[in-house]
Amino acid sequence: MSATHYEILGLSSENAPYETVRESYHRLARIHHPDKKLQQLRRREVENQNHDHHHDEDDASKFDRIQKAWETLRDPPSREVYDALLRSVRKGGAAVGDSSQRSDPRQ
């Protein structure tokens, strides 16, 4: 099962206020931003440490998931739709809305 946007941002509650969501996003974005990872790679190269390029792909994917979660949760109407879809999936019901909104909101 995929993580929810809330889980991706490290939030334990779907009732988290906007400011908490924003702070969590900014904290994670600073850690996982591709430019930050590039700086770390350069430091490792200078220190002659081995580097796992597959790990970079995982980091980029993680940043993409963080970004997608933030883009959904920062906008109140988008967050309301996402929350409704999430509740529907948890209840085992079909999601309502247009075809672009019928996917599992945990993806």
Side-chain angles (χ1 to χ4, degrees), residues 31-44:
I31 294 168
H32 297 285
H33 193 280
D35 290 344
K36 184 76 169 177
K37 293 298 178 182
L38 183 60
Q39 291 172 355
Q40 292 172 356
L41 171 61
R42 288 181 180 152
R43 267 187 250 132
R44 279 188 223 136

Side-chain angles (χ1 to χ4, degrees), residues 66-85:
I66 291 166
Q67 189 65 31
K68 181 178 179 182
W70 169 241
E71 288 172 1
T72 299
L73 299 180
R74 74 178 179 192
D75 178 57
S78 294
R79 185 174 178 176
E80 286 180 32
V81 169
Y82 177 80
D83 289 347
L85 290 170

Side-chain angles (χ1 to χ4, degrees), residues 8-48:
I8 289 168
L9 293 179
L11 300 168
S12 60
S13 172
E14 293 168 16
N15 297 321
Y18 173 84
E19 195 60 33
T20 302
V21 174
R22 187 182 72 79
E23 289 169 2
S24 183
Y25 163 73
H26 284 286
R27 179 181 53 80
L28 291 170
R30 282 191 298 273
I31 294 168
H32 297 285
H33 193 280
D35 290 344
K36 184 76 169 177
K37 293 298 178 182
L38 183 60
Q39 291 172 355
Q40 292 172 356
L41 171 61
R42 288 181 180 152
R43 267 187 250 132
R44 279 188 223 136
E45 288 174 347
V46 168
E47 296 168 357
N48 286 328

